[in-house]
Amino acid sequence: MQIEHTEFQDQLVRGLAHRMNNILTLFHGYVGLLIDNKNLDRATLEGLAKIQNGAKAATELMDRTHSLVRPSTLVWREIDLALLVPMLKPGLEAFRGKNATLEIQFADGLPHVWADMGRLKTAIIEVVRNACEAAGPNGNVRIEICADEPAAAPSAAAQPLNWVCLKVIDD
């Protein structure tokens, strides 16, 4: 019964974090649009900046709360990083500073990776968030995805493994 209760709590926290992040995405989007309005007075822009900072702090809190729960069941599948990372870019943009850049570069013909999508996305998001924080408001963050040299086969019967390298580079 205790295990069922803990699983229920984990599902509840995951669901809450997901829904709150959806709401906070609206805050990020609309506040960003308002801040770009050149006709607003300084006091309004300062107020919007405070709302934007509050929304960022709330997003970080929800992400960290979500990471505290036990991970859901792993689902391993083939993933194309050249499709996944650009798909994540709009969400990653929220972490960069106002005058900072976030660039994605990837080589053609990358092999797919075999991973759990949820954990892979979480890892990418956390590393990019950290890089954006380190780069500051005017910094640059670059995500590079490339094929790496095949690793040595663990035995003569095994086939060489292909590797993909994902780098997150900040100033």
Side-chain angles (χ1 to χ4, degrees):
M1 185 175 287
Q2 180 64 31
I3 292 172
E4 287 178 12
H5 183 66
T6 303
E7 288 175 6
F8 172 75
Q9 288 174 332
D10 290 349
Q11 287 177 345
L12 185 64
V13 170
R14 276 193 292 275
L16 174 65
H18 177 75
R19 293 186 77 162
M20 285 300 296
N21 280 332
N22 287 344
I23 294 167
L24 290 166
T25 298
L26 292 173
F27 275 84
H28 290 297
Y30 285 112
V31 169
L33 289 172
L34 289 170
I35 287 175
D36 289 342
N37 184 340
K38 305 297 182 211
N39 297 324
L40 297 177
D41 60 85
R42 182 178 177 175
T44 302
L45 288 172
E46 288 173 359
L48 290 170
K50 288 179 182 177
I51 293 170
Q52 186 177 46
N53 288 336
K56 282 183 182 180
T59 299
E60 289 175 10
L61 176 63
M62 285 291 93
D63 289 344
R64 281 168 175 59
T65 300
H66 186 263
S67 69
L68 291 176
V69 299
R70 291 181 306 139
S72 57
T73 306
L74 292 175
V75 178
W76 294 87
R77 62 184 234 190
E78 195 173 343
I79 300 169
D80 184 350
L81 287 175
L83 295 176
L84 173 65
V85 176
M87 182 180 75
L88 294 175
K89 188 175 181 183
L92 299 173
E93 291 281 351
F95 303 132
R96 69 177 177 81
K98 184 177 182 180
N99 297 317
T101 62
L102 176 63
E103 180 184 355
I104 299 173
Q105 299 174 346
F106 53 90
D108 292 330
L110 291 171
H112 293 179
V113 297
W114 188 252
D116 176 77
M117 177 72 83
R119 287 190 178 193
L120 182 59
K121 286 192 322 191
T122 299
I124 293 169
I125 289 167
E126 289 301 320
V127 172
V128 171
R129 177 198 325 258
N130 183 280
C132 288
E133 289 173 359
N138 300 314
N140 301 299
V141 175
R142 186 174 67 253
I143 303 169
E144 294 179 2
I145 309 167
C146 59
D148 208 352
E149 292 297 316
S155 71
Q159 295 296 317
L161 302 173
N162 292 315
W163 291 83
V164 175
C165 181
L166 188 142
K167 300 177 188 177
V168 178
I169 304 161
D170 62 65
D171 290 344

